[in-house]
Every structure is written in structure tokens, then in C-alpha cells.
Amino acid sequence: MSITIDNKHRVFGLDAIRASAILLVLFSHSTILLFPNQDSLLLTIIRFFGTIGVDLFFVLSGFLIGGIILKQIDLGKTSWNDFLYFWIRRWFRTLPNYFLVLALNVLLLFLFTGEILKGIGNYFLFLQNFSNPQPDFFTESWSLSIEEYAYIIGPLLLFLTFNSFKSVSKKYLFIGITGFVIISSGVLRYQFHLNQKIDSAEMWSSALRKVVIYRIDSIYYGFVLVYVMKQFKSYFKRYNLLLFMVGVILFSGIHVLIYFNNLTPVNTPLFFNVFYLPLISISLLLFFPSIIEIDIQGYVKILTTKLSIISYALYLLNYSVVLLSIQHIGSICEASMIIKIITLLTYWGLSFYLSHLLYTYFEKPMTNLRDKPFFKRILN
């Protein structure tokens, strides 16, 4: 793929995390394409790690955005215009792709079924899963709603507190607001636990795991890590391998406990509703200090970086646009292995090719607009 890479501003470890996350999602969706009505231990594991891929995207986004905001604080850029410029940069990175693929999904739905989705306006405002389960349309967009509201709520609260508590250290306010959002989300999940009865893992996923108000904290755990790492940088360098092992033990231990005790959201609702998802976020973040230090050269670095660059386009296109379109053409449940392999290669090939086109001819040009002097002039 002829994508220009500027390694000056890239961290290979972060690219590796992003690339790993999208590959986990793609492998998970591949099982849905090939074995849509089948279950086995192997398929369950692959699909489970697809959900972990999304959690990786969440904590990585929080880590990066938290770092940007802390840098703004260090530079004294905490005025309304500074935050507005921050939002503009984020929106030029995320919204054009989202709206384009949303429109494409609306078109495909009409072409395939003749239907026009009711409540489509909610998708344009990221309200489709704000406090209730999302409709069965453009299903991967649930995670984008969580990220968009995380980008808005935290910085907005920070701006308000910076102007209300001018004598308090802005970094203390940063970690205070971060803690406030995390605790608030936890309280809302506990309220959900008290008021909602879970009758299946699928219901738990749609009604809690994929709802903005219950999951927004997953972004802010990344804020916590980047804040602590900046405060205790030398300790994280010294003990990064220890933290990695703690993350492995925590992540593995949780799921060994779940597997051997047959725990589910139905029979252990308090654990899954309130504690499980935060523990996953924390365990994944413990991997970051070690992974960030990794740097390799050669084709592996090039391929990893390029995959990281197109990961957002891949995430948006691979399921609703590519996979569901293939499924609409015809079922391959009873097809031969040769047909399944050809279908799988078609799915991966189309996903990568279309994502490359989307990035090269739309995402990158739109992103470049945010660096134009025009926006800096109108905000100063």
C-alpha cells in the first residue's frame, strides 16, 4: 500500500496496539462470516478477543487523548479557543469517515431491503446508544458514540473547572475530573444492576456493554495511566515488565475464574455489570508501559504502521459494508471449504482495499484540513 509514513511523530508500540486491536476484530468477524450459526470453544475464544480488540481501542484512545490534553495544560493552552481547536482536530479525524460510511450504510440498507431506517437522525448525533440499546444497524458505530462523547464531556468539564477553580493546579483538576467521570459511570452501572434483570449474555452486551453512559469510563482509564506515567516516568521504565506480568495475571485470572466457575452476566450480574469491564480496561493498560518501549525495524514495522494508519477505515468498513454485503449475496454455511476460503479471502481483500481507498482519498485529505492556518486564525 502506497501510504507515506512519517515516523518522526509515530510510536511503534502504540501502532502495534492499534494494529493488534483491528486484527482481533477482523478475526472475530471472519468467524461470523464463515460460521454464523455455529458455536465451539475455539469460535467463542476468537469472538471474545474481538471484543477485547474494541476495549484496546478504547483505552488506547484515552491514553492518547489524555496525553494531548496534559500537553495542552503544560503549554498553558486551556482557553475556550484551545479546547475548541482540540475538538476541531478530533472531529476532522473522526467525523468525515463516520458520516460517509453511515451514509453508505443507509444506501446499502435501501438497496438490499427497500427500507429507510427510522431514527437515522440519532446516528448523526451519536445518540443511537447513548442510554439505550442500539438498533440493529451499523452496529459497530456503538463504540464510536462512546469515544465521541468521551472527547466532549471530559474536556468540557475541564474547561469549566479550570475557570471555576483558578487557584487549583490544573493537573489536579485533570485527574479529579477523570476520577469523577469514572465514578459516575460506575454509579450508573450499579443503578442499571439494581433496576435491570439480565436474561442473557447478548442482552447484557447490548443493554450495558455497548451503551455510552455505562462505558464512557473505559476511555478515561487511559487518562489515568498517562497522568501517572508522566508523574512517575522513571518508575514505569524500571518496572514495565512487572506491570506487564501483573496485567497478564489479572486478565488471565479473571477469565480462568469465569470459565471454571461458569460465571455469566445472568448468574453473576453484580460482577459483570459493575466490575468486569473496568478490570478488563485496567489489565490491558498494564501492558502499555512495556509495549511502548518496543521498537523494531524492517518490513514488520512498515506493515504494522500501515495497518495502524488504516485501522479506523477498516473498523468502519469491514462489517456493515463488506461482511453484510457478502452475506446478502448468499449464505456459505453449507458451502465447501474451497468456497469458504475464497469468501474469506474476498472479505479480507475487499476490507483492506476499500479501507486503503477511504484513507488515501478521503480520510487523509480531510485530516490535513485541520492543520490549515485558517482554523488557527479564526480561533485567535
Side-chain angles (χ1 to χ4, degrees):
M1 296 184 292
S2 57
I3 295 175
T4 302
I5 299 174
D6 180 10
N7 285 314
K8 180 180 178 181
H9 301 290
R10 305 201 70 86
V11 177
F12 173 76
L14 298 178
D15 281 335
I17 293 171
R18 193 180 289 108
S20 299
I22 192 59
L23 286 176
L24 290 173
V25 171
L26 286 171
F27 280 120
S28 174
H29 289 169
S30 296
T31 68
I32 297 173
L33 176 65
L34 298 181
F35 313 104
N37 301 315
Q38 297 183 35
D39 286 309
S40 69
L41 180 59
L42 178 59
L43 291 177
T44 299
I45 291 173
I46 295 173
R47 290 166 185 169
F48 160 74
F49 275 102
T51 67
I52 296 301
V54 180
D55 289 322
L56 269 175
F57 278 126
F58 283 158
V59 294
L60 177 59
S61 292
F63 184 82
L64 295 172
I65 297 304
I68 291 171
I69 295 173
L70 283 173
K71 185 177 180 179
Q72 285 192 202
I73 291 173
D74 288 337
L75 295 173
K77 295 182 176 181
T78 57
S79 69
W80 174 251
N81 283 352
D82 292 320
F83 279 106
L84 184 57
Y85 187 57
F86 162 81
W87 285 317
I88 286 174
R89 289 183 62 82
R90 292 311 306 164
W91 289 333
F92 268 100
R93 170 72 177 86
T94 58
L95 297 190
N97 267 15
Y98 172 81
F99 289 138
L100 178 63
V101 177
L102 173 58
L104 184 57
N105 272 276
V106 172
L107 176 62
L108 289 173
L109 178 68
F110 180 75
L111 291 176
F112 290 155
T113 68
E115 296 179 12
I116 297 177
L117 182 72
K118 295 180 180 178
I120 189 62
N122 288 334
Y123 281 83
F124 284 93
L125 297 174
F126 296 96
L127 292 172
Q128 68 269 26
N129 63 317
F130 185 79
S131 58
N132 293 295
Q134 177 173 315
D136 188 18
F137 171 79
F138 195 14
T139 52
E140 58 270 47
S141 68
W142 69 270
S143 63
L144 305 177
S145 298
I146 293 170
E147 297 213 15
E148 289 301 327
Y149 279 105
Y151 300 155
I152 295 171
I153 291 173
L156 181 59
L157 290 175
L158 282 172
F159 171 75
L160 295 174
T161 54
F162 288 169
N163 285 274
S164 300
F165 303 95
K166 295 182 179 180
S167 62
V168 180
S169 166
K170 288 181 171 59
K171 288 188 176 179
Y172 289 160
L173 292 174
F174 172 89
I175 198 64
I177 289 298
T178 300
F180 171 76
V181 175
I182 289 173
I183 292 170
S184 298
S185 187
V187 170
L188 289 171
R189 285 198 304 275
Y190 184 66
Q191 289 294 319
F192 174 93
H193 168 72
L194 294 177
N195 296 297
Q196 299 290 332
K197 180 176 175 58
I198 299 296
D199 55 25
S200 70
E202 290 75 18
M203 176 189 172
W204 172 81
S205 181
S206 64
L208 184 138
R209 188 179 76 88
K210 297 181 178 181
V211 174
V212 172
I213 61 173
Y214 304 130
R215 291 304 311 280
I216 198 169
D217 62 319
S218 58
I219 309 291
Y220 287 85
Y221 290 108
F223 279 43
V224 174
L225 178 64
V226 73
Y227 174 84
V228 176
M229 284 186 67
K230 285 181 177 293
Q231 299 299 310
F232 305 100
K233 189 173 182 179
S234 61
Y235 289 97
F236 276 88
K237 282 185 173 292
R238 187 182 309 170
Y239 299 111
N240 58 18
L241 291 178
L242 176 61
L243 291 171
F244 186 91
M245 292 306 302
V246 172
V248 170
I249 292 170
L250 178 59
F251 183 87
S252 303
I254 291 169
H255 294 99
V256 167
L257 181 69
I258 289 172
Y259 179 76
F260 284 103
N261 290 279
N262 194 31
L263 304 183
T264 69
V266 177
N267 61 29
T268 323
L270 178 63
F271 172 70
F272 279 94
N273 291 342
V274 180
F275 301 108
Y276 173 72
L277 295 169
L279 288 173
I280 295 301
S281 297
I282 293 168
S283 66
L284 294 176
L285 281 168
L286 291 173
F287 300 153
F288 279 40
S290 292
I291 297 175
I292 290 171
E293 298 296 321
I294 298 174
D295 191 17
I296 61 175
Q297 302 299 321
Y299 288 111
V300 173
K301 181 173 184 175
I302 294 172
L303 291 174
T304 300
T305 304
K306 289 185 175 181
L307 179 56
S308 171
I309 289 172
I310 67 168
S311 61
Y312 181 47
L314 258 175
Y315 185 77
L316 287 171
L317 290 171
N318 85 92
Y319 184 76
S320 291
V321 174
V322 179
L323 188 148
L324 294 185
S325 295
I326 292 174
Q327 285 187 329
H328 183 78
I329 293 171
S331 173
I332 61 167
C333 293
E334 306 300 326
S336 66
M337 185 55 65
I338 295 295
I339 297 298
K340 287 189 175 183
I341 292 174
I342 292 173
T343 304
L344 181 64
L345 293 175
T346 301
Y347 164 64
W348 279 70
L350 280 174
S351 295
F352 277 92
Y353 181 65
L354 294 176
S355 299
H356 171 63
L357 293 180
L358 179 59
Y359 173 80
T360 304
Y361 298 108
F362 187 73
E363 179 181 339
K364 181 60 175 172
M366 294 300 294
T367 304
N368 288 342
L369 290 176
R370 67 187 187 179
D371 295 318
K372 297 295 182 182
F374 169 75
F375 292 108
K376 292 184 178 180
R377 286 200 302 269
I378 64 174
L379 293 174
N380 289 330

